[in-house]
């Protein structure tokens, strides 16, 4: 049994959407997300010291909170690497970071710049108008 066959995907491996993860929610195929990283826990179900029930409950979902709530040991965290298969797609994964950053950019910079431009033009127009009359 080659334990490397599925687990050892390279760091920053392929991207998956949360929808793709959500399809793997059974004992035949069980994926879960912890801190934005996707893990295939299918072959870990039998071995999990906390039992397969809890893993199946979280399969297909973002299990970050439940994983952290348990207070898993450093050993447990190191074990994660064995089951790592990829990351949640940064744009389509359901985390709004990217959009949030863009919205932030527009509201912080472009709106004030545009406002200043309009005021500048109005001022100029007013001054010219004042001179010509
Ligand atoms: C790939 C993901 C996971 C790995 C590698 C993993 C690994 C482990 C390990 C090694 C332990 C033994 C205790 C320790 O060393 O901390 C453990 C216990 C446990 N795990 Fe996980 N776990 C995973 C995901 C989860 C998830 C998603 C849950 C959801 C609730 C969970 C719930 C538990 C529970 C309830 C225990 C028993 C704690 C106890 O008896 O004190 N685990 N896990």
């Amino acid at each position: 049994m080659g334990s490397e066959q599925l687990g050892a995907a390279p760091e920053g491996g392929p991207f998956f959407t949360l929808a793709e993860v959500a399809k793997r929610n059974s004992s035949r195929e069980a994926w879960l997300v912890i801190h934005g990283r996707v893990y295939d826990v299918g072959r870990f179900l039998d071995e999990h010291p906390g039992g397969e029930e809890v893993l199946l409950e979280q399969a297909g979902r973002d299990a970050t909170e439940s994983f952290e709530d348990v207070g898993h040991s450093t050993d447990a965290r190191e074990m994660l690497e064995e089951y790592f298969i990829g990351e949640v797609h940064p744009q389509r994964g359901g985390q709004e970071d990217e959009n949030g950053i863009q919205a932030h950019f527009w509201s912080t910079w472009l709106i004030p710049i545009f406002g200043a431009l309009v005021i500048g033009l109005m001022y100029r127009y007013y001054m010219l108008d004042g001179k010509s009359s």
Side-chain angles (χ1 to χ4, degrees):
M1 282 287 216
S3 64
E4 302 93 324
Q5 58 181 31
L6 265 175
E11 277 287 327
F15 288 113
F16 300 103
T17 61
L18 285 183
E20 281 173 295
V21 177
K23 288 183 210 155
R24 278 68 178 213
N25 63 350
S26 68
S27 51
R28 301 174 101 231
E29 257 194 320
W31 292 8
L32 45 82
V33 176
I34 298 171
H35 294 298
R37 293 156 69 90
V38 183
Y39 300 96
D40 179 348
V41 294
R43 66 200 163 85
F44 180 58
L45 294 174
D46 290 345
E47 297 161 32
H48 182 222
E52 74 174 327
E53 285 290 303
V54 284
L55 287 187
L56 283 173
E57 222 167 77
Q58 298 301 321
R61 298 210 246 152
D62 189 325
T64 309
E65 224 181 293
S66 9
F67 182 82
E68 292 301 345
D69 281 353
V70 171
H72 280 94
S73 64
T74 328
D75 277 359
R77 285 162 204 278
E78 276 165 14
M79 281 170 77
L80 283 176
E81 293 310 312
E82 288 178 46
Y83 306 101
F84 175 75
I85 53 167
E87 293 182 33
V88 175
H89 196 285
Q91 265 159 347
R92 288 181 293 156
Q95 285 165 333
E96 293 130 51
D97 300 23
E98 295 265 323
N99 287 337
I101 285 162
Q102 291 229 338
H104 191 62
F105 174 78
W106 283 92
S107 59
T108 356
W109 294 106
L110 287 176
I111 295 170
I113 287 170
F114 186 72
L117 223 82
V118 169
I119 292 168
L121 281 173
M122 278 170 71
Y123 181 71
R124 208 178 131 91
Y125 184 75
Y126 175 79
M127 291 302 274
L128 285 178
D129 210 34
K131 270 189 197 154
S132 66
S133 61

